[in-house]
Amino acid sequence: MQRTLVKHALASEAPVDAILVAGWVRTRRDSKTFSFLEINDGSSLASIQVVADAGIPGYEDIAKMTTGSSVQVEGRLVESPGKQKWEIQATAVKLIGGSPETYPLQKKGHSPEFLRSIAHLRPRTNLYGAVFRTRSRIAAAVHQFFLARDFVWVHTPIITASDCEGAGEMFHVTTLDPLAENKGYDKDFFGKPANLTVSGQLEGETFACALGNIYTFGPTFRAENSNTTRHAAEFWMIEPEMAFCDLHGDMDVAEAFIKHIADTMLADTSGDFDFFCKFVDKGLRERLEAVSKQPFVRCSYTEAIDIMLKSGEKFEYPPHWGMDMQSEHERFLTEKHFKCPVIVYDYPKEIKPFYMRLNEDGKTVTAMDVLVPGIGEIIGGSQREERLDILEGNIERLGMDKETYYWYNDLRRYGTVPHAGFGVGFERLIMFVTGVQNIRDVLPYPRTPRNCEF
Ligand code: 4AD
Ligand code: MG
């Protein structure tokens, strides 16, 4: 007999004469003549209740079917007198793998810190099961959004020779032993410095300047030493890039994208979204509904600084024109002042990377950040500098190596076009739709400073 997923069994429209499910025991209760088993197979938040009468085949092992053990059950799907519509009246039970008392998930209510220390087992809990199913669904929604708009998914390299953001926060890729004497790059695998990508943008631009509209979706690495609830050393980023597009077009796509993701989550009927609304963040549904319906505010950096200066709000870092915005500033704007998503644009050129397009004022560049309630910055993007002379000037001004970027500059040399794009932090997106507060709890195996377990 083929295995039926618990979520399908629970959604059945009629009783079923013969059904087989398999999963892990959440709880077991025994009486003299029968036992109740709660079985979860990860297909849904909900477990299925099994009634196993004493004497059925396999019942002799019932005492070994402890919390955490894996079992297989054959039986009839019948109407349940309990909370759920269906339960299984077992005709046979089979112990597959036992689980002794050392199983760490015996009881509910462990702290997130403890659960992070057992990241290999935490997907078996309600919260993490729901988070990782949601991650998968939202990833599908990301592809759906772009493919429906004729964007081409491009697989940009994970190992690169460039530093897109110019921040130098890179993990070096080498086959040389760091403890051995320095042998020089000619002895190294690539014969030159290489690193894990901090962004697929530059390579993405080359494809946008050939295929039109493209996006990337893949792992990204940053060796920034920030131990916050919103930063990870390994995270996933989605980076669309659009040819013949300016900053306004860029903002339009970013706004439509966030709304699409909010709508996808609001339409979730699996039980996972309801779980987040009930147990993780009581304001979640209302917030996503507002994001879905309200137009995003668009506000220049200069206006944003002005608003903060006039607000009377106490900030740890007092705002001034020219500063990089901190989380407290972003959250003030989106949560307290505008109370909706905000797109801040036209930032001072000094605090932004070399590739952003210089505005007429000579002081600001066409950068834009999308700030959302509960998170702060979820998207960073810009229109790119398409004028070769200005781009080369930036590279020189910032002391970057011109030779390294010859291929990037070639896009401006041969048939240059205005183009724009942005990057979405996938984990921040998952935090945004689940209400989970720490990035470590939406990554299967979080990598942060001094932490690379598993
Ligand atoms: O603002 P960032 O640095 O922009 C770029 O990388 C551009 N190349 C994007 C582009 O224009 N194609 O990063 C984009 C987004 C941020 O808004 C944030 O959501 C996420 O990536 N992000 C991180 N997420 C988790 N951990 C980190 N350390 C992150 N750094 C950035
Ligand atoms: Mg940014």
Side-chain angles (χ1 to χ4, degrees), residues 293-355:
K293 286 196 202 99
Q294 292 171 334
F296 293 9
V297 167
R298 299 183 186 190
C299 164
S300 75
Y301 170 91
T302 304
E303 289 170 282
I305 295 289
D306 230 41
I307 287 169
M308 288 190 279
L309 285 174
K310 290 186 182 138
S311 68
E313 180 85 6
K314 280 250 177 307
F315 294 102
E316 194 185 334
Y317 297 93
H320 62 91
W321 201 95
M323 71 162 187
D324 212 352
M325 276 194 209
Q326 305 288 325
S327 175
E328 57 168 341
H329 306 122
E330 294 167 355
R331 298 190 66 161
F332 168 78
L333 290 170
T334 178
E335 287 166 14
K336 281 202 176 157
H337 186 78
F338 290 113
K339 299 190 172 64
C340 72
V342 188
I343 310 183
V344 180
Y345 62 92
D346 288 350
Y347 284 72
K349 70 174 180 194
E350 279 76 19
I351 57 170
K352 290 292 179 186
F354 77 103
Y355 54 72

Side-chain angles (χ1 to χ4, degrees), residues 420-434:
F422 58 85
V424 192
F426 186 54
E427 285 71 24
R428 295 199 188 168
L429 200 60
I430 302 301
M431 292 164 73
F432 170 63
V433 296
T434 59

